[in-house]
Amino acid sequence: MRPLLITVGSRGDVQQFLALARGLLAAGHRPVLAAPRRFEPLATRHGVEFVPLYDEMLELQNTVKGQGVRAAITAARSVRPMVRRLLDDQAALTARPADVVVYHPKSLGGPYVAEKLGVPAFAGLLIPLYVPTSAFPSPIVPVRPPGPLNRASWRIAAAIEAPYRSVIRTWRAEALGLRDGFVPMAELVRTGNVLHAWSPHLLPAPADWPDSARPIGFWTMPADDTWAPPERLARFLDEGEPPVYVGFGSSTTGDPDVLTATVLEGVRLAGRRAVLATGWGALRPGADADDVLVMEEAPHDWLLPRVAVAVHHGGVGTAAAALRAGVPQVVRPFVGDQPFWASRLHRLGVAPEPLRGRLTAARLAAAIEKAAELAPAARVSAGHLGAEDGVATAVARIAAAS
């Protein structure tokens, strides 16, 4: 096969598509990954053919991150030239031969590229977004609605997409020559082929989903055997009991100094050492101490199996890494789908109740102590994830359709 994979977004969005590309390559296929140009070195390092896409949209995402659905919709209305540039880059992909297209809905153009090529299309979803259910509300709804409104809440994904539709419709006609039969993205995903790339152990399919929508497992990159920890990290881990990992990924906060001080006090109240990953700025970089090591980031697949508890923001990528590592978790969600995954981890028994609202050192210390008691359940969950292979299942589904 010659699969074309199209994704747009942060590293979390791209890395899972890269994992799928690697799986396709290992199965003897010839995948091409189209993604924001800044990720070309990452794809090249893994031997995957790469086509760069316009990536100024990433800067826009960074600007509105954490400001809610209304900010996202307002921003969408102000960036039509950016959207058109991104879509034009995707239109150029139709000059390449492809047998199937797998796209992230953030790409906006993925299903229409497949339509122009006349090949099957699969939506690759890393969180549930478009297939409605009465069992739970859409993960991106900012407030939990009453149960009878669960299914209606799934319309929010279509509302976020709606400001782009006139640009997409015009581009589809002008750049692809598809002047009739326009169908919005939300409807295409809901009624088409979908690959739900998360573990059914974490979130099983609700009873009102079709079999084709059942989750198939995370798309996980193999461990990077070439990565070696900095000497100071290796030494810190060797010098005492496994520490607590604290990292909030791409989340941001209005006062990183206060959050950092609260985290350090909470870890020390719990009698623990800590590795702090500052990420995109939720935590303030600072000097190491005898009981604290501060760094920007480290590969989760290497670090998390070496810690006692993982404290994080509830992003599904970090949650998946901690589940695979068999480490109990403490979740302080910030925005978007993070509260949803925080609740799922608590229900699974690998995390105490999420730390919503104002975070205090005492609350964090208590949560760390409760999480440590859940280590046996975390190890059991790791066994379940170890038996899943979301990439292999996706490769088989794609091959069967093309």
Side-chain angles (χ1 to χ4, degrees):
M1 290 189 303
R2 293 166 298 183
L4 172 60
L5 280 53
I6 308 175
T7 185
V8 172
S10 65
R11 177 161 178 158
D13 300 305
V14 173
Q15 186 162 298
Q16 297 207 48
F17 273 72
L18 179 57
L20 176 59
R22 281 184 53 118
L24 288 160
L25 196 62
H29 306 297
R30 293 174 289 167
V32 172
L33 175 63
R37 65 181 68 252
R38 68 188 64 186
F39 296 109
E40 184 165 8
L42 178 65
T44 302
R45 190 164 71 244
H46 288 278
V48 172
E49 185 177 352
F50 185 85
V51 177
L53 299 178
Y54 180 72
D55 65 358
E56 290 304 311
M57 292 291 291
L58 277 178
E59 300 302 328
L60 175 70
Q61 290 174 342
N62 296 345
T63 300
V64 302
K65 183 180 287 290
Q67 298 183 33
V69 171
R70 180 176 296 177
I73 293 173
T74 301
R77 294 184 179 125
S78 66
V79 293
R80 291 174 184 268
M82 286 186 186
V83 173
R84 180 59 192 256
R85 176 94 176 266
L86 171 64
L87 290 170
D88 284 343
D89 278 359
Q90 292 176 63
L93 296 172
T94 61
R96 293 172 163 268
D99 301 306
V100 62
V101 172
V102 184
Y103 66 92
H104 194 307
K106 284 184 184 178
S107 71
L108 299 176
Y112 311 109
V113 170
E115 182 183 0
K116 175 64 175 179
L117 290 169
V119 300
F122 284 84
L125 294 179
L126 313 181
I127 66 172
L129 276 178
Y130 290 101
V131 183
T133 177
S134 299
F136 50 82
S138 168
I140 61 173
V141 171
V143 294
R144 187 176 182 88
L149 296 180
N150 279 349
R151 180 170 287 272
S153 73
W154 291 78
R155 297 173 187 163
I156 192 170
I160 292 175
E161 169 212 337
Y164 299 104
R165 283 185 190 156
S166 63
V167 179
I168 296 169
R169 189 189 293 267
T170 300
W171 163 80
R172 183 177 171 273
E174 293 179 349
L176 299 181
L178 301 171
R179 301 187 180 278
D180 300 315
F182 172 76
V183 179
M185 172 77 75
E187 183 66 13
L188 288 172
V189 177
R190 187 182 68 81
T191 60
N193 297 316
V194 63
L195 298 168
H196 278 153
W198 64 81
S199 170
H201 180 65
L202 176 60
L203 179 64
D208 54 357
W209 272 9
D211 287 344
S212 60
R214 294 185 178 279
I216 60 176
F218 292 113
W219 293 347
T220 304
M221 291 284 289
D224 184 357
D225 296 332
T226 65
W227 190 84
E231 182 181 348
R232 66 189 186 94
L233 173 59
R235 185 171 60 249
F236 182 81
L237 293 173
D238 288 341
E239 286 176 347
E241 293 295 316
V244 171
Y245 166 84
V246 184
F248 300 119
S250 59
S251 298
T252 57
T253 180
D255 198 333
D257 290 317
V258 169
L259 180 58
T260 303
T262 300
V263 164
L264 291 176
E265 184 182 355
V267 170
R268 287 166 174 154
L269 278 175
R272 300 278 182 166
R273 306 187 308 146
V275 172
L276 265 61
T278 56
W280 284 21
L283 297 173
R284 178 69 68 197
D288 295 342
D290 289 343
D291 60 345
V292 177
L293 183 138
V294 183
M295 59 193 311
E296 183 176 349
E297 62 179 359
H300 285 157
D301 59 359
W302 187 93
L303 180 58
L304 294 188
R306 293 167 167 83
V307 306
V309 174
V311 179
H312 62 89
H313 55 305
V316 67
T318 306
L323 283 170
R324 289 193 300 271
V327 60
Q329 307 177 46
V330 172
V331 185
R332 193 318 185 178
F334 288 78
V335 296
D337 57 314
Q338 295 166 10
F340 176 82
W341 295 116
S343 296
R344 293 303 312 177
L345 292 165
H346 175 53
R347 183 175 299 185
L348 190 61
V350 299
E353 290 189 11
L355 293 172
R356 296 186 175 92
R358 180 173 173 267
L359 182 66
T360 66
R363 290 181 67 206
L364 177 58
I368 290 171
E369 292 171 358
K370 289 179 183 177
E373 298 172 1
L374 301 175
R379 289 191 290 270
V380 170
S381 288
H384 286 290
L385 264 69
E388 300 171 359
D389 192 336
V391 167
T393 303
V395 169
R397 288 267 304 274
I398 294 165
S402 63

